[in-house]
Amino acid sequence: MGAKQLGFSDYELTTAKKQTKREKFLAEMEEVVPWAALIALIEPHYPKASKKGGRPPYPLATMLRIHLLQQWYSLSDPAMEEALIEVPTMRRFAGIALISDRIPDETTILTFRHLLEKHDLGEQIFETVKAHLSERGMTMRQGTIVDATLIAAPSSTKNKEGKRDPEMHQTKKGNQWYFGMKIHAGVDKDSGLIHSVVVTAANVHDITPAAELLHGDEQVVYADAGYQGIAKRPEMAGKTTEFRVAMRPGKRRALPDTPDGRLQDLIETAKAHIRSKVEHPFRVIKQQFGFQKTRLRGLAKNRCKIQVLAALSNLFQARRQLLATA
């Protein structure tokens, strides 16, 4: 018997009088995720029931919901299977009745993720969510903040290959070395929503993929001191965009205590206040959704995951506006 196509809000919550944080979060996500658009996007690639009989595939809506649960709670494939067995709230959200329905095992959950990776559906999910937000008046056009954040990767060689992930590299930040990759993001300066995302190894300089983070219509771009010289790069030739890049910390500390020096310091403070919005989606991805260390090997797999996380981060940040217009 297939999983029932019921929304999370169609079920009664627990018998407890107080709604849990998980129940509240999932009830909100039930309302703000554009389910129909995402299912239509994936459906052409999803396996159909065989005319020769045999066990039918799980309903696409159930597998999509399970995949999003994995991203929101940073669960591995085996941990996701266990959560569906042990956590009634997650099971209800996925539309699974424990007694009558089969619960997808870790291999089925893995196969669905591979389907998304194979057909580059992570990027398409990200674009679909952007279009969904744009249709509801949340456009991202006036100005862009560019920045990058590090995501650690396992440095241990105690694995099947006996070596570290060859696509991950190390970089030094401050006095500390990090091994892993970088998420580079272009964020709207007003809404704080991600409109562009690029994934690279950790040793790629922040400025290298910066041009890919611009949608082309922004009038101004904000960036930290690591992006000094961005306006002079060949890929920026011909652009009329104004680049407001932070002053290097040492130069700022050396500003004279004069009216002009104090004015320059105030300008730097104002630029830093605007740039701080780029930290919001990074905080959601790394703290709210728990993605601080990757368990997947290779940049392609992680790129798909991060594109889905960027889409979910945008929905989470915009949830109040979306719920108000629902």
Side-chain angles (χ1 to χ4, degrees):
M1 184 175 179
K4 295 176 178 61
Q5 296 308 295
L6 294 175
F8 183 64
S9 57
D10 294 325
Y11 289 94
E12 290 184 11
L13 295 174
T14 63
T15 55
K17 292 181 180 179
K18 184 177 179 181
Q19 189 181 35
T20 67
K21 287 183 179 179
R22 179 183 284 134
E23 287 170 337
K24 181 181 178 182
F25 171 79
L26 292 179
E28 289 179 342
M29 294 303 103
E30 171 73 31
E31 295 299 320
V32 303
V33 173
W35 297 109
L38 296 182
I39 288 170
L41 174 69
I42 302 168
E43 195 166 27
H45 309 284
Y46 196 68
K48 308 294 187 290
S50 174
K51 294 179 180 178
K52 298 179 181 179
R55 180 172 285 187
Y58 288 92
L60 170 55
T62 291
M63 295 310 302
L64 174 60
R65 286 167 177 269
I66 290 170
H67 185 72
L68 298 195
L69 283 168
Q70 270 194 289
Q71 311 313 313
W72 286 322
Y73 294 101
S74 192
L75 296 171
S76 66
D77 301 328
M80 187 68 249
E81 180 188 355
E82 288 187 9
L84 290 171
I85 296 169
E86 295 174 353
V87 185
T89 310
M90 291 191 176
R91 204 162 52 244
R92 288 196 299 270
F93 183 83
I96 297 171
L98 183 60
I99 297 174
S100 58
D101 292 343
R102 295 179 291 131
I103 289 182
D105 60 19
E106 62 178 276
T107 303
T108 305
I109 294 168
L110 169 69
T111 301
F112 184 79
R113 174 164 58 79
H114 283 174
L115 176 82
L116 300 184
E117 294 163 359
K118 178 181 178 182
H119 298 286
D120 295 322
L121 290 172
E123 182 177 3
Q124 294 177 56
I125 288 170
F126 179 55
E127 293 298 330
T128 298
V129 168
K130 279 171 53 181
H132 176 71
L133 294 172
S134 181
E135 288 166 7
R136 283 150 185 78
M138 285 170 251
T139 55
M140 301 173 250
R141 288 290 164 191
Q142 297 304 311
T144 290
I145 311 165
V146 295
D147 203 358
T149 190
L150 288 161
I151 300 291
S155 57
S156 172
T157 58
K158 294 179 181 178
N159 52 52
K160 187 166 62 177
E161 290 81 10
K163 58 183 180 180
R164 299 195 301 183
D165 188 336
E167 294 186 29
M168 302 291 170
H169 292 279
Q170 63 181 19
T171 189
K172 193 174 186 182
K173 184 176 181 181
N175 293 320
Q176 190 171 349
W177 285 93
Y178 295 86
F179 177 78
M181 62 184 182
K182 276 183 184 177
I183 303 174
H184 306 260
V187 171
D188 178 65
K189 81 172 183 69
D190 294 320
S191 65
L193 301 177
I194 302 172
H195 62 68
S196 308
V197 64
V198 174
V199 179
T200 69
N203 63 337
V204 174
H205 195 284
D206 292 359
I207 205 171
T208 303
E212 299 175 62
L213 303 177
L214 308 182
H215 51 62
D217 294 335
E218 51 266 291
Q219 299 166 1
V220 60
V221 174
Y222 292 85
D224 64 27
Y227 291 84
Q228 284 283 345
I230 185 174
K232 297 177 182 178
R233 291 181 67 84
E235 59 268 30
M236 300 298 179
K239 289 186 181 291
T240 57
T241 309
E242 179 185 355
F243 292 92
R244 297 180 184 173
V245 181
M247 186 181 291
R248 295 197 183 281
K251 186 176 179 182
R252 185 177 178 183
R253 285 194 295 269
L255 287 172
D257 188 14
T258 63
D260 184 58
R262 289 193 289 273
L263 176 61
Q264 283 188 284
D265 189 63
L266 285 172
I267 291 170
E268 289 303 309
T269 300
K271 288 194 288 187
H273 178 72
I274 293 170
R275 286 199 316 278
S276 67
K277 280 197 174 180
V278 79
E279 298 301 329
H280 297 177
F282 287 157
R283 183 197 64 79
V284 171
I285 290 171
K286 297 175 80 169
Q287 303 296 329
Q288 178 74 27
F289 299 161
F291 184 57
Q292 298 184 25
K293 189 171 188 177
T294 181
R295 58 175 66 92
L296 304 176
R297 288 174 70 85
L299 290 176
K301 291 179 180 180
N302 282 290
R303 184 176 295 112
C304 182
K305 179 181 178 68
I306 288 163
Q307 287 162 339
V308 173
L309 282 170
L312 296 179
S313 169
N314 281 350
L315 289 170
F316 179 78
Q317 287 188 263
R319 69 193 184 283
R320 289 187 177 87
Q321 297 97 302
L322 291 169
L323 289 168
T325 58

